[in-house]
Amino acid sequence: MIIAFAVILVLAAFFYTLFVRQQDVPEPIPVSPIQHLEDRKHAIYDNLRDLQFEYRLGKLTDDDYQQTKQALQKELAVVLSETEQTLKTLGMTSVRKQAIKPNRDKPSRDREGAATLCPHCGAKFKEALKFCGECGKAIA
Ligand SMILES: [Zn+2]
């Protein structure tokens, strides 16, 4: 009976922990879109450093050193161009957003201008009105 109780207690604690953990786990921090590329870049730099170190110690032949170095540099070039591409794409989206904004603002400003100006008597109003306060005619 005591053992059964202990087992239940342990299980309860176990599930409670799981339950709490799932609830308490914070939202994953939004990772920079180039974070994985940065990581790869640093890894390649590390590898290059290690490679040079081992070459200086005489652990590698010239051929091995050159081949590995070229392979790493090629990989590095790919990572760097991917980084540039990603940043370019991100830059373009923000530029596009900025380019759209003035276009959206312009028509609304024109509409506002038309609504605050009576087409019949030319009276101007601070707010958009359906009917002119001067001549009483409908403002389109
Ligand atoms: Zn009017």
Side-chain angles (χ1 to χ4, degrees):
M1 188 60 193
I2 290 167
I3 290 167
F5 183 73
V7 168
I8 288 165
L9 200 72
V10 168
L11 282 176
F14 180 68
F15 281 113
Y16 179 75
T17 311
L18 277 184
F19 181 73
V20 167
R21 273 201 189 141
Q22 272 179 354
Q23 291 235 321
D24 285 354
V25 164
E27 293 267 312
I29 298 155
V31 181
S32 157
I34 57 159
Q35 189 56 55
H36 65 290
L37 294 168
E38 289 282 311
D39 289 346
R40 266 172 71 188
K41 195 171 81 183
H42 287 303
I44 293 166
Y45 281 139
D46 281 347
N47 284 342
L48 276 169
R49 220 175 294 133
D50 288 350
L51 187 72
Q52 262 177 353
F53 185 68
E54 283 183 23
Y55 178 64
R56 277 193 206 134
L57 288 180
K59 281 186 183 175
L60 294 166
T61 65
D62 282 5
D63 279 352
D64 278 347
Y65 173 66
Q66 290 300 336
Q67 269 184 2
T68 314
K69 194 176 139 189
Q70 273 172 20
L72 283 171
Q73 281 174 340
K74 226 182 246 176
E75 208 186 325
L76 184 66
V78 170
V79 170
L80 288 178
S81 76
E82 266 180 53
T83 308
E84 206 176 303
Q85 201 61 44
T86 308
L87 289 176
K88 221 186 220 175
T89 311
L90 290 173
M92 274 173 75
T93 31
S94 61
V95 166
R96 251 181 233 152
K97 265 182 201 164
Q98 283 172 345
I100 287 166
K101 241 185 172 180
N103 289 345
R104 270 186 192 159
D105 288 346
K106 239 186 177 179
S108 72
R109 240 181 256 147
D110 287 349
R111 234 181 291 133
E112 202 178 29
T116 54
L117 189 73
C118 176
H120 306 289
C121 68
K124 278 183 188 175
F125 305 99
K126 279 179 188 172
E127 287 171 34
L129 298 169
K130 277 186 178 177
F131 297 96
C132 176
E134 290 294 321
C135 66
K137 286 177 182 169
I139 300 172

